[in-house]
């Protein structure tokens, strides 16, 4: 049976396009997290780094890279790569080390210096790589995939372009209040509608950018937190890293076909819904207990899908939530109080860690103008390529 681990510190490097090494960004975020925790770097017993992969291989082994950048001091190191779920996998690795008694204090760092434009697989012939295949065989870039999901929602649930635009308007309003965000200006629905079509029906302002950025956490055992003077820290209560089950009835990245459902009945619910369900089961709470959520708004339409996947509403009712303002700041269940990827852009290894940073600040009551009053529990959710689930539940 798992237990809680304490979040002693959280830190970020502002996101944008800075033209510097991801190592520099990670070092800044790590030092901020250590300062926030009141922990000296020599006292860290383990470093878990979320890898960035460029050109088909990790150019740096992140755990050791960040340990070296901070100054070798003998800590255990681990490096994790799970695409967009890398940060959650890194948090889970740190948690496992703490609960296993291998370390009392662990630093988790993710950072990236992303290329311009949408992400694409590395070059070369790789017919056994489903992500390479969808680009090479189908021409299905990430924006095209997002657009297919948007079209499906429009056809199945009746969502409209106006519904999608409201998601961007909501997230931009929150991002305008976040000093770490890349885009800090409010956006109107008219501006979304007037932006260039990228992959019909999605406009430029419906889709997130790629960014440079970094996020870091200092995690510890509850015993260490108490000795350190943190009597009531934010706690990580669950981390879900589940994989899909077959048969699958709905096309989902990175697969380019579904398997036959003749021999077995499809699972109830989607893969993304199973990610959140596993986290709720481990934490012993449900959607009704949440104060807020951070979800992956790779596109505006995908955010609406996440509302349903994490149980905020039944299937097909995500657009109704955003229309009524329930997921905006001041609403019944605010989603992406950080501003989301709409305001940050993608810095792949850092993203899931950044989500936990936002939960930490919200649960501490230190999120400033973005603060959700009385926040007590929150969930993060995203999905990495190749069946990497990712959800974290934090409580206070």
């Amino acid at each position: 049976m798992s237990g809680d681990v304490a979040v002693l510190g959280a830190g970020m490097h502002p996101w944008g396009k800075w033209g510097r090494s991801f190592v520099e960004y990670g070092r800044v975020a790590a030092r901020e997290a250590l300062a926030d925790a009141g922990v000296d770097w020599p006292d860290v017993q383990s470093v878990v780094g979320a890898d960035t992969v460029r050109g088909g291989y990790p150019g740096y082994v992140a755990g050791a890279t960040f340990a070296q950048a901070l100054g070798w001091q003998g800590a255990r190191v681990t490096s994790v790569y799970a695409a967009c779920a890398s940060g959650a996998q890194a948090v889970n690795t740190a948690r496992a080390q703490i609960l296993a008694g291998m370390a009392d204090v662990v630093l988790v760092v993710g950072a990236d210096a992303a290329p311009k434009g949408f992400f694409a697989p590395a070059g070369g012939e790789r017919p056994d790589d489903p992500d390479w295949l969808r680009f090479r065989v189908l021409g299905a870039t990430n924006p095209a995939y997002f657009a297919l999901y948007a079209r499906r929602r429009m056809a199945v649930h009746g969502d409209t372009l106006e519904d999608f635009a409201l998601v961007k308007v909501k997230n931009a309003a929150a991002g305008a209040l976040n000093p770490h965000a890349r885009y800090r200006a409010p956006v109107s629905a008219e501006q979304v509608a007037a932006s260039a079509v990228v992959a019909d029906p999605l406009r430029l302002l419906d889709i997130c950018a790629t960014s440079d950025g970094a996020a870091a956490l200092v995690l510890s055992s509850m015993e260490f937190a108490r000795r350190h003077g943190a009597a009531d820290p934010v706690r990580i209560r669950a981390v879900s890293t589940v994989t899909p089950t077959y048969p699958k009835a709905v096309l989902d990245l990175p697969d380019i076909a579904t398997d036959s459902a003749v021999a077995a009945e499809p699972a109830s619910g989607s893969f993304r819904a199973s990610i959140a369900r596993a986290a709720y089961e481990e934490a012993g709470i449900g959607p009704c207990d949440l104060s807020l959520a951070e979800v992956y708004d790779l596109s505006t339409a995908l955010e609406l899908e996440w509302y349903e996947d994490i149980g905020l509403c039944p299937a097909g009712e995500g657009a109704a939530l955003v229309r009524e303002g329930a997921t905006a700041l001041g609403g019944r269940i605010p989603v992406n109080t950080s501003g989301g990827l709409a305001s940050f852009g993608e810095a792949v290894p850092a993203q899931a860690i950044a989500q936990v940073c936002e939960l930490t600040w919200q649960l501490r009551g230190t999120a400033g103008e973005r603060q959700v009053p009385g926040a007590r529990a929150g969930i993060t959710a995203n999905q990495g390529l190749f069946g990497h689930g990712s959800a974290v539940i934090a409580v206070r």
Side-chain angles (χ1 to χ4, degrees):
M1 182 176 180
S2 64
D4 292 351
V5 298
V7 183
L8 290 187
M12 294 180 69
H13 183 289
W15 292 33
K17 284 288 189 181
W18 308 113
R20 298 191 290 274
S21 167
F22 79 92
V23 181
E24 180 178 339
Y25 308 144
R27 182 171 58 233
V28 169
R31 285 176 173 164
E32 283 202 4
L34 289 167
D36 185 45
V39 170
D40 294 328
W41 164 235
D43 295 327
V44 173
Q45 298 164 338
S46 179
V47 180
V48 182
D51 273 331
T52 182
V53 174
R54 295 286 173 260
Y57 68 96
Y60 299 83
V61 182
T65 296
F66 295 129
Q68 181 184 34
L70 293 165
W72 294 124
Q73 46 83 305
R76 177 192 302 271
V77 293
T78 310
S79 297
V80 174
Y81 179 69
C84 293
S86 297
Q89 294 272 12
V91 168
N92 196 44
T93 299
R95 182 182 71 145
Q97 291 180 356
I98 292 167
L99 294 178
M102 297 167 63
D104 279 331
V105 185
V106 182
L107 173 66
V108 180
V109 190
D112 203 2
K116 186 177 181 180
F118 58 76
F119 291 113
E125 300 289 322
R126 294 194 311 283
D128 57 348
D129 177 350
D131 198 40
W132 180 87
L133 283 170
R134 75 176 170 96
F135 276 79
R136 184 68 173 267
V137 178
L138 298 182
T141 63
N142 285 357
Y145 171 74
F146 304 153
L148 289 171
Y149 246 106
R151 278 290 173 201
R152 184 179 188 276
R153 288 199 63 86
M154 295 172 79
V156 175
H157 301 309
D159 291 3
T160 67
L161 297 180
E162 290 74 20
D163 295 328
F164 300 155
L166 288 176
V167 176
K168 175 66 176 184
V169 171
K170 170 187 75 70
N171 289 347
L177 304 175
N178 192 334
H180 294 106
R182 176 179 178 180
Y183 301 106
R184 299 194 58 200
V187 171
S188 69
E190 292 74 22
Q191 287 175 296
V192 179
S195 62
V197 175
V198 175
D200 190 61
L202 299 179
R203 274 61 180 165
L204 183 63
L205 294 183
D206 282 304
I207 299 172
C208 72
T210 60
S211 289
D212 299 357
L217 297 164
V218 176
L219 306 182
S220 80
S221 65
M222 295 303 296
E223 293 77 8
F224 180 91
R226 283 190 284 270
R227 294 197 306 269
H228 192 62
D232 184 27
V234 172
R235 291 158 284 154
I236 291 177
R237 179 152 290 175
V239 184
S240 169
T241 59
V242 299
T243 55
T245 58
Y246 286 110
K248 293 173 69 177
V250 177
L251 182 66
D252 208 355
L253 269 176
D255 301 312
I256 56 175
T258 57
D259 59 317
S260 172
V262 172
E265 289 295 320
S268 59
S270 67
F271 167 44
R272 284 195 298 273
S274 74
I275 298 170
R277 184 167 60 248
Y280 290 136
E281 289 173 356
E282 183 181 347
I285 68 172
C288 61
D289 299 305
L290 297 176
S291 305
L292 72 154
E294 286 285 307
V295 304
Y296 253 13
D297 57 316
L298 294 163
S299 80
T300 51
L302 284 175
E303 176 166 324
L304 298 181
E305 193 90 10
W306 276 115
Y307 294 173
E308 299 157 19
D309 292 331
I310 66 174
L312 301 186
C313 62
E317 297 185 15
L321 286 188
V322 77
R323 284 185 214 127
E324 69 188 44
T327 56
L329 291 174
R332 174 171 56 83
I333 176 66
V335 177
N336 285 341
T337 60
S338 66
L341 296 182
S343 301
F344 277 75
E346 285 195 272
V348 170
Q351 292 163 182
I353 300 170
Q355 289 180 318
V356 180
C357 287
E358 179 66 14
L359 291 193
T360 299
W361 294 323
Q362 289 286 350
L363 296 177
R364 285 178 178 173
T366 58
E369 294 178 272
R370 307 188 314 283
Q371 183 63 50
V372 175
R376 303 298 297 175
I379 190 172
T380 73
N382 72 66
Q383 174 186 349
L385 279 179
F386 314 113
H388 285 113
S390 171
V392 178
I393 289 178
V395 300
R396 191 169 191 189

